[in-house]
């Protein structure tokens, strides 16, 4: 809240804006200056580096010149290639020296500094001596003394280039150091300026915004008070006006005014009662909460206390803040006095922990919240205190800490290995069991991930297992719970270990959305070795789809496989040492079959046949049993191996097939079965009769040949894909009889499990004929055979949508017969029907087949003509008038039928760019038809 000596909020904000603009400008200037200086310094460094590289290249070329000179002396007479190489090296040296001295635009190399130029000029005498020696050497290559002179000049020039390179390197280091110092200096300067900006601009700006909000709140309160005053004045003036008017009104009006005032008072009373109810509800809610809530004035008086707070206040002598504070411990009282109250008054809210002394002497830990409530003028009026007991939470936190320590001890004592991965897959925790099983030390486990190639992981099948597919990795990344997954790894000593792993994802409370995971594992290396040995010995028997039983020489069961257990419903432990006849044979097992098996066992011979067995639950099943004796090396029978195959389904299917064939043969629907090739393999009598063939003639006939080629292609296109995908299709088709006639049929196709189709067909010729009759009656007028109103609206709506898409204009004609009632009254209803038929024939002959002609009721006709322009309407009207006149002329000589035919037509146009519906066009055409009829009556009246 702003004080009296502070500037007004608008002035402070403008000043802060100017300060912010100045600060941003200073930061921008410093940043631009720093960037310019650093970029320029970087350019100097880059140029110095290029000069140094070029000077080093010149040094190498100098040594190459000396080498070429000695090569010319050593290989006398010298070849032309060697002279050319020496001259090329000399030319490259001079070109490089010119770039070094003058710079190069193409290579982005600036001219050297003055000190560098002087150093380069000092090399000229040495260069001139070297050039002279080279010229002499090229003229007389056999003189070794000249080569020695070239070597000496080259060495002198190399020494000068070395000194120049040393100077360039020293300068480059100075530039680098200067750039670093400038960067650090500018960074410190920018940080300092940002700190000053935050201290001098942002902090006052936040304070100014707070003051502005408080000032706005005060202004709002003041405006609200003024509005209430104005409202009171307005109400008073209105009451005075009412009083002046009431003097001129009757006693009845005075009574109505009193009733209105009474209603207003009742409404105000209801409003007050509603507010009282809300306050009572709020008080009840506060009384129901277990937290102590109290409101104090600044003088310390208790203005409100809920039920929980009242229990505490009963312990003090006086209901004020000073005495209530004695319920806290001395340390909490000091905190309340020195920290809580000042903080709540300054910021409006304070929250912290305190210690509360209860009536029974217990000390409870509470979270105390102080809320300062301000009056409209901004001053603190009251302070609310909320005490929330967290003693149980504190106790629970201590208990959780103890449980965590206890659980950690249990994990360390586990024989299983336990590891925990963080959100990126690193091992962050493990127990001693993990170190022992993995054969790794703590240093080797720390930070190791699943994708570490040294694990050399494999899955249960011996295939390489990538690190991201480890159980703990999948649990962490995919949120899966994995139990008992087997995998192999390489221990620290290089041996292979097989593990049974359980993995669970764990939420990462520090980083939501980044899960960790824990895995426990046991060493099952020995178990895997034993299991693989047993698996190798019994893999064929266990994986066989046939039920296998092994008997000893006496016919007692010694071993069965899983398929046999599934088939019989008994486990190996239940049947071991027992004879199959004791529990598998039953009432309907044939005795002769049982006797044959017993004789084969006694004789040690093979037996094969079918026998009825009973499962554990009493359900019968048929098996095909092949019993083979097992002999030792001497040929003595030591037992039997029985191979059983469940044939219950086959025998049941054979019986059901026989029953189904009998039922299908007499059904009224036509049924046919096709093979994979599409040829008919079975047809019943109804199917053959439906197509005019015998059942024998249709066998091996292609199913598609029973339809016209186009219909056959449609069925292949529409029905077969759905049958293949869904397994069933139902629809209608057009069949063909032997005499070539076509008929409608209802067709169902079902896909057989092993290929082929079941087709069920029904002749629906009579049903279709009835549907057509009903459809014709529903959309056609019975007298004229034109479309009726229903048929016209259905067809017209579709034709108008098509016209709108294709951009065609249309014309809708609407008309009725002139003086039709006089025809009925004067000549009878037969003459009226004849008039309606005559009009329908005229309209049908006048319009095209693509146009829609309808009688929509009584003597009312309508026509929708497609692709008609307004210029064509007059021609159509003339044709109708001519046809009506010709019809009247034909009846003129027949006194019994000398009725006069006339029709009035109104026209409405359909514009595809502004389309209207059929009903709107009918209303427009009807109005124009009545206008034409009115004009005709007026013309007849004038003619009379």
């Amino acid at each position: 809240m702003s004080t009296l000596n502070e500037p007004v909020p608008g002035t402070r904000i403008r000043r802060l804006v100017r300060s912010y603009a100045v600060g941003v400008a200073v930061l921008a200037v410093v940043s631009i200056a720093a960037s310019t200086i650093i970029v320029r310094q970087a350019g100097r460094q880059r140029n110095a580096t290029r000069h140094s590289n070029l000077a080093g290249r010149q040094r190498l070329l100098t040594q190459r010149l000396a080498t070429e000179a000695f090569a010319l002396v050593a290989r006398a007479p010298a070849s032309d290639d060697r002279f050319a190489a020496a001259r090329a090296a000399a030319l490259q040296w001079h070109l490089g020296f010119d770039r070094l001295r003058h710079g190069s635009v193409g290579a982005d190399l600036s001219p050297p500094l003055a000190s560098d130029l002087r150093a380069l000029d000092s090399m000229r005498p040495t260069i001139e001596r070297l050039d002279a020696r080279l010229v002499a050497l090229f003229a007389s290559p056999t003189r070794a003394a000249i080569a020695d002179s070239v070597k000496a000049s080259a060495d002198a020039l190399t020494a000068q280039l070395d000194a120049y390179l040393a100077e360039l390197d020293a300068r480059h280091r100075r530039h680098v150091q200067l750039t670093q110092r400038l960067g650090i200096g500018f960074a410190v300067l920018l940080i300092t300026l940002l700190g000053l900006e935050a201290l001098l601009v942002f902090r006052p700006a936040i304070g100014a915004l707070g003051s502005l909000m408080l000032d706005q709140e005060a202004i709002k309160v003041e405006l609200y008070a003024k509005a209430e005053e104005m409202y009171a004045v307005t109400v008073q003036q209105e009451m005075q006006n009412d009083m002046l008017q009431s003097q001129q009104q009757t006693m009845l009006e005075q009574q109505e005014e009193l009733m209105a005032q009474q209603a207003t008072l009742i409404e105000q009373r209801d409003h007050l009662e509603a507010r009282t109810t809300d306050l009572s509800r709020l008080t009840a809610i506060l009384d129901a909460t277990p937290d102590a809530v109290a409101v104090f004035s600044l003088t310390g008086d208790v203005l409100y206390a809920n039920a929980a707070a009242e229990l505490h206040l009963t312990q003090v002598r006086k209901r004020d803040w000073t005495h209530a504070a004695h319920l806290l411990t001395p340390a909490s009282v000091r905190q309340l006095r020195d920290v809580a109250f000042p903080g709540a008054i300054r910021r409006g809210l304070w929250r912290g922990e305190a210690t509360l002394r209860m009536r029974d002497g217990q000390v409870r830990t509470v979270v105390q919240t102080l809320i300062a409530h301000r009056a409209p003028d901004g001053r603190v009026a009251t302070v609310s205190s909320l005490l929330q007991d967290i003693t149980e939470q504190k106790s629970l936190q201590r208990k959780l800490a103890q449980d965590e320590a206890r659980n950690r001890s249990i994990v360390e004592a586990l024989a299983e290995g336990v590891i925990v991965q963080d959100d990126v897959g690193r091992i962050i925790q493990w127990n001693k069991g993990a170190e022992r099983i993995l054969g790794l030390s703590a240093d080797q486990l720390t930070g190791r991930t699943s994708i570490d190639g040294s694990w050399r992981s494999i899955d249960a099948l011996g295939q390489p297992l990538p690190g991201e597919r480890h159980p703990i990795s999948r649990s962490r990344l995919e949120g899966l719970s994995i139990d008992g997954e087997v995998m192999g790894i390489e221990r620290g000593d290089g041996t292979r270990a097989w593990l049974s792993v359980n993995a669970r994802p764990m939420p990462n409370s520090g980083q939501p959305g980044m899960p960790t995971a824990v895995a426990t594992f046991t060493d099952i290396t020995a178990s895997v070795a034993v299991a693989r040995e047993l698996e190798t010995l019994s893999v064929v028997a266990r994986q066989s789809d046939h039920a296998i039983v092994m008997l000893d020489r006496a016919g007692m069961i010694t071993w069965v496989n899983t398929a046999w257990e599934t088939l019989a419903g008994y486990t190996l432990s239940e049947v071991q040492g027992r004879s199959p006849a004791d529990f598998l044979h039953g009432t309907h097992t044939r005795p002769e079959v049982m006797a044959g098996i017993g004789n084969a066992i006694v004789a040690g011979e093979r037996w094969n046949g079918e026998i009825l067995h009973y499962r554990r639950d009493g359900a019968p099943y048929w098996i095909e049993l092949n019993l083979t004796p097992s002999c030792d090396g001497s040929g003595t029978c030591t037992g039997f191996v029985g191979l059983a195959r469940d044939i219950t389904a086959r025998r049941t299917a054979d019986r059901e097939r026989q029953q189904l064939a009998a039922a299908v043969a007499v059904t009224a629907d036509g049924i046919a079965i096709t093979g994979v090739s599409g040829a008919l393999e079975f047809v019943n009598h109804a199917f053959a009769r439906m197509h005019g063939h015998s059942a024998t003639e249709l066998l091996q006939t292609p199913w598609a040949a029973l339809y016209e080629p186009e219909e056959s292609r449609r069925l292949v296109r529409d029905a077969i894909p759905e049958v293949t995908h869904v397994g069933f299709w139902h629809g209608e088709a057009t069949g063909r009889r032997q005499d070539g006639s076509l008929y409608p049929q209802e067709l169902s196709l079902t896909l057989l499990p092993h290929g082929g189709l079941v087709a069920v067909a029904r002749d629906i010729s009579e049903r279709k004929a009835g549907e057509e009759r009903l459809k014709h009656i529903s959309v056609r007028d019975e007298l004229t055979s034109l479309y009726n109103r229903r048929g016209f609206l259905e067809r017209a709506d579709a034709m108008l949508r098509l016209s709108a898409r294709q951009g065609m204009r249309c014309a809708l004609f609407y008309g009725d017969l002139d003086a039709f009632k006089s025809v009925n009254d004067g000549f009878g209803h037969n003459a009226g029907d004849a008039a309606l038929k005559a009009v329908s024939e005229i309209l049908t002959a006048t319009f095209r087949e693509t146009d829609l002609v309808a009688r929509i009721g009584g003597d009312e006709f309508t026509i929708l003509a497609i692709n008609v322009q307004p210029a064509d309407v007059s021609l159509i009207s003339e044709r109708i008038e001519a046809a009506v006149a010709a019809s009247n002329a034909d009846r003129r000589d027949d006194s019994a039928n000398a009725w006069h035919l006339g029709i009035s037509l109104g026209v409405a146009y359909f514009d595809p760019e502004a389309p209207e519906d059929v009903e709107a066009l009918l209303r427009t055409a009807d109005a124009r038809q009545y206008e034409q009829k009115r004009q005709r009556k007026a013309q007849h009246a004038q003619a009379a």
Side-chain angles (χ1 to χ4, degrees):
M1 185 171 64
S2 61
T3 58
L4 294 176
N5 57 354
E6 289 181 343
V8 296
T11 305
R12 289 189 64 191
I13 291 175
R14 287 193 294 272
R15 188 175 63 191
L16 289 172
V17 170
R18 287 197 297 271
S19 301
Y20 177 79
V22 171
V24 171
V26 171
L27 288 175
V29 170
V30 172
S31 300
I32 293 172
S35 300
T36 304
I37 293 173
I38 291 175
V39 169
R40 183 176 299 175
Q41 191 66 21
R44 291 177 178 174
Q45 293 178 12
R46 183 171 61 254
N47 189 60
T49 301
R50 290 171 178 166
H51 273 280
S52 179
N53 292 337
L54 187 56
R57 183 173 177 271
Q58 291 300 110
R59 184 182 183 280
L60 293 176
L61 286 174
T62 304
Q63 294 177 348
R64 181 182 172 187
L65 284 173
T67 302
E68 293 294 337
F70 275 95
L72 287 172
V73 174
R75 298 183 182 180
S79 64
D80 293 337
D81 293 337
R82 181 58 61 183
F83 276 111
R87 289 191 179 94
L91 180 60
Q92 290 179 6
W93 196 97
H94 281 286
L95 291 175
F97 186 81
D98 289 339
R99 286 197 300 272
L100 191 62
R101 191 174 186 281
H102 301 291
S104 175
V105 177
D108 194 17
L109 182 68
S110 60
L113 301 175
S115 58
D116 296 338
L117 191 59
R118 287 193 297 272
L120 293 173
D121 290 338
S122 66
M123 300 179 192
R124 280 194 175 279
T126 307
I127 295 171
E128 291 173 357
R129 287 195 301 273
L130 180 59
D131 288 338
R133 298 296 186 274
L134 288 173
V135 171
L137 181 63
F138 294 154
S140 180
T142 58
R143 297 178 62 184
I146 297 176
D148 293 336
S149 177
V150 170
K151 178 66 168 59
S153 299
D155 291 340
L157 184 57
T158 300
Q160 290 177 333
L161 288 172
D162 289 338
Y164 179 66
L165 284 171
E167 176 61 22
L168 290 177
D169 291 338
R171 186 185 304 156
H172 181 265
R173 286 193 296 272
R174 289 195 299 274
H175 286 169
V176 172
Q177 293 174 357
L178 180 59
T179 302
Q180 292 175 348
R181 291 169 183 169
L182 287 173
I184 294 173
F186 281 122
V188 172
L189 180 58
L190 287 174
I191 293 172
T192 303
L193 290 175
L194 286 173
L196 292 174
E197 185 82 359
L199 183 62
L200 299 178
V201 178
F202 295 134
R203 184 176 178 183
I206 295 173
L209 288 176
S211 300
L212 182 59
M213 292 176 64
L214 293 176
D215 293 340
Q216 288 179 347
E217 186 68 24
I219 292 171
K220 186 189 297 183
V221 173
E222 183 178 357
L223 290 175
Y224 181 78
K226 290 182 179 180
E228 288 182 344
E229 293 177 359
M230 293 177 66
Y231 178 76
V233 173
T234 303
V235 172
Q236 185 177 2
Q237 291 177 354
E238 290 178 356
M239 291 177 63
Q240 291 176 356
N241 293 334
D242 293 338
M243 292 176 62
L244 292 174
Q245 293 176 0
S246 64
Q247 294 176 1
Q248 300 175 2
Q249 292 176 350
T250 62
M251 293 300 295
L252 181 60
E253 293 175 346
Q254 292 178 357
Q255 184 178 1
E256 290 177 354
E257 182 181 356
L258 291 175
M259 293 177 64
Q261 293 177 358
Q262 183 179 4
T264 303
L265 291 175
I266 293 174
E267 183 179 354
Q268 292 177 354
R269 184 194 64 188
D270 294 342
H271 179 67
L272 290 174
E273 290 179 353
R275 293 193 60 184
T276 302
T277 303
D278 292 340
L279 290 175
S280 299
R281 187 181 298 111
L282 178 60
T283 302
I285 292 173
L286 290 176
D287 287 338
T289 181
D291 300 333
V293 180
V295 181
F296 298 87
S297 67
L298 289 184
T299 59
D301 296 331
V302 178
L303 302 179
Y304 169 77
N306 69 346
E310 289 290 350
L311 292 176
H312 295 301
L313 291 175
T314 56
Q315 304 179 48
V316 300
R317 292 178 299 170
K318 188 177 180 180
R319 291 169 59 86
D320 58 20
W321 182 268
T322 303
H323 290 79
H326 292 308
L327 295 173
L328 303 174
T329 61
S332 298
V333 172
R334 289 193 297 273
Q335 175 182 261
L336 181 64
R337 182 188 64 238
D338 300 336
V339 179
F341 257 117
I345 293 175
R346 184 172 56 256
R347 295 187 298 271
L349 176 69
W350 180 88
R351 178 175 293 171
E353 291 188 8
T355 307
L356 182 66
R357 294 179 296 191
M358 306 301 292
R359 183 192 298 271
D360 56 0
Q362 293 184 3
V363 177
R364 309 288 289 184
T365 302
V366 297
V367 173
Q368 186 174 21
T369 303
L370 296 180
I371 304 173
H373 305 282
R374 299 185 182 274
D377 58 359
R379 294 180 295 102
V380 176
T382 59
V383 177
S384 297
S385 173
L386 173 65
L387 299 179
Q388 183 180 6
D389 193 342
I390 61 170
T391 305
E392 299 298 332
Q393 297 179 9
K394 289 286 187 179
S395 175
L396 181 60
Q397 290 176 357
R398 289 192 296 271
K399 185 176 182 304
L400 289 176
Q402 295 173 359
D403 292 343
E404 183 179 359
R406 187 184 306 110
N407 292 336
R408 187 178 297 275
S409 300
I410 293 173
V411 169
E412 286 295 331
L414 288 175
E416 294 85 356
V418 180
I419 62 171
V420 178
Q421 284 188 353
D422 63 8
D423 53 359
V424 295
R426 294 188 297 262
I427 297 177
I428 56 175
Q429 291 181 344
W430 61 90
N431 67 346
K432 293 296 183 183
E435 295 181 7
R436 174 179 50 79
I437 294 174
L438 301 178
L440 299 173
S441 63
D443 293 337
Q444 292 172 322
L445 281 172
T446 302
R448 197 170 186 180
T449 65
S450 297
I451 61 175
D452 191 330
S454 60
W455 293 113
R456 293 182 173 85
S457 307
I458 58 176
D459 58 17
L461 300 178
Q463 299 298 319
L465 183 64
E468 61 272 12
R469 301 304 300 167
H470 282 198
I472 189 170
S473 296
R474 288 190 285 117
S475 179
R476 175 176 58 84
L477 297 175
E478 303 175 14
L480 302 176
S481 295
I482 300 173
D483 293 315
E485 183 165 325
V486 177
M487 63 177 293
I489 63 164
E490 187 174 293
R491 289 192 180 99
D493 58 2
T495 60
R496 173 70 66 187
W498 288 94
L499 308 177
S500 176
V501 184
N502 301 330
R504 296 289 185 276
M506 298 192 307
N508 189 347
S509 59
Q511 291 180 303
M514 302 293 289
T516 60
V518 60
T520 62
F521 49 90
T522 55
D523 189 350
I524 59 170
T525 306
S527 301
V528 169
V530 173
R532 286 189 173 181
E533 182 178 359
L534 294 176
E535 182 72 16
T536 303
L537 295 175
S538 60
V539 62
V540 175
R542 286 188 294 104
Q543 293 183 355
S544 175
D545 293 334
H546 293 78
I548 299 176
V549 57
M550 299 184 68
L551 307 175
D552 60 11
R553 188 66 184 85
M556 302 300 174
I557 296 175
T558 59
W559 182 83
V560 296
N561 68 348
T562 304
W564 191 94
E565 291 178 338
T566 303
L567 179 63
Y570 295 93
T571 63
L572 175 61
S573 60
E574 294 175 333
V575 301
Q576 200 167 22
R578 298 174 63 185
S579 172
D582 295 341
F583 55 91
L584 293 180
H585 298 170
T587 305
H588 299 288
T589 303
R590 291 188 295 177
E592 61 271 19
V593 176
M594 298 168 57
I597 295 175
N599 295 334
I601 292 175
V602 172
E605 298 175 350
R606 182 173 182 174
W607 185 89
N608 184 24
E610 296 180 359
I611 185 172
L612 178 65
H613 279 180
Y614 290 84
R615 291 188 176 89
R616 183 190 185 96
D617 58 3
Y621 65 97
W622 283 89
I623 64 169
E624 182 180 13
L625 179 62
N626 187 354
L627 195 63
T628 304
S630 175
C631 302
D632 57 12
S634 62
T636 304
C637 178
T638 58
F640 296 87
V641 176
L643 186 64
R645 184 165 61 91
D646 188 358
I647 60 172
T648 306
R650 189 193 70 189
R651 292 179 66 97
T652 303
D654 291 341
R655 184 175 64 256
E656 291 178 351
R657 189 179 297 109
Q658 294 171 1
Q659 296 172 352
L660 181 61
V664 167
V666 298
T667 185
D669 291 334
I671 300 176
I673 300 176
T674 69
V676 178
S677 63
L680 294 172
E681 297 180 350
F682 169 82
V683 295
N684 67 348
H685 296 296
F687 189 90
R689 185 170 57 254
M690 187 183 303
H691 291 85
H693 293 273
S694 65
T696 306
E697 293 174 345
L698 289 178
L699 292 179
Q700 300 306 318
T701 300
W703 170 70
L706 301 178
Y707 301 92
E708 291 292 328
E710 184 62 28
E711 183 69 358
S712 177
R713 286 192 293 269
R714 184 187 70 83
L715 291 174
V716 172
R717 182 183 67 249
D718 298 338
I720 299 303
E722 185 173 351
V723 171
T724 304
H725 184 263
V726 180
F728 177 80
W729 179 86
H730 179 80
E732 294 183 359
T734 302
R736 185 183 63 189
R737 295 187 175 90
Q738 184 181 19
D739 58 2
S741 61
L742 302 178
Y743 71 99
Q745 63 178 206
E746 184 178 2
L747 181 64
S748 297
L749 300 177
T750 304
L751 183 66
L752 293 174
H754 302 292
L757 298 173
V758 175
V760 179
R762 177 178 297 174
D763 190 344
I764 57 174
S765 301
E766 294 182 1
R767 190 184 78 187
K768 283 293 184 180
E771 290 176 355
E772 287 297 326
R773 288 194 297 272
L774 291 175
K775 183 177 180 181
H776 186 274
I777 293 172
S778 65
V779 299
R780 291 284 184 174
D781 176 52
E782 184 177 0
L783 177 64
T784 63
S785 296
L786 298 177
Y787 283 100
N788 57 16
R789 185 179 187 88
R790 177 183 176 183
F792 173 81
L793 292 178
E794 291 179 356
R795 290 287 309 277
D797 185 63
M799 293 171 67
L800 288 180
R801 287 199 301 270
L802 179 62
S803 300
R805 288 196 299 269
Q806 297 180 353
M808 295 189 301
R809 295 178 64 89
C810 303
L812 187 141
F813 296 82
Y814 186 93
D816 61 3
L817 300 185
D818 296 334
F820 180 70
K821 186 175 183 303
S822 63
V823 175
N824 274 332
D825 294 343
F827 297 91
H829 289 286
N830 290 334
D833 293 343
L836 294 175
K837 291 181 179 180
V839 171
S840 66
E841 293 172 357
I842 291 172
L843 295 178
T844 303
T846 302
F847 288 94
R848 300 164 296 186
E849 293 182 358
T850 56
D851 298 332
L852 186 61
V853 183
R855 177 192 174 200
I856 60 175
D859 61 337
E860 297 175 348
F861 293 84
T862 186
I863 307 97
L864 178 61
I866 304 299
N867 197 15
V868 173
Q869 301 299 327
D872 300 330
V873 172
S874 59
L875 180 60
I876 294 174
S877 300
E878 291 175 0
R879 290 178 180 174
I880 295 175
E881 291 290 343
V884 170
S887 177
N888 289 331
D890 291 339
R891 290 188 303 278
R892 201 168 288 162
D893 297 333
D894 187 359
S895 59
N897 295 319
W899 41 268
H900 181 78
L901 181 64
I903 184 171
S904 298
L905 289 173
V907 183
Y909 297 97
F910 174 82
D911 187 355
E913 296 182 358
E916 296 179 284
D917 58 13
V918 180
E919 295 292 347
L921 294 175
L922 284 172
R923 288 193 296 269
T924 302
D926 187 22
R928 293 176 179 172
Q929 178 264 143
Y930 275 111
E931 179 64 21
Q932 185 186 29
K933 189 181 292 291
R934 187 186 62 78
Q935 292 177 0
R936 284 190 175 185
K937 288 182 179 180
Q939 291 174 1
H940 289 313
Q942 291 177 0

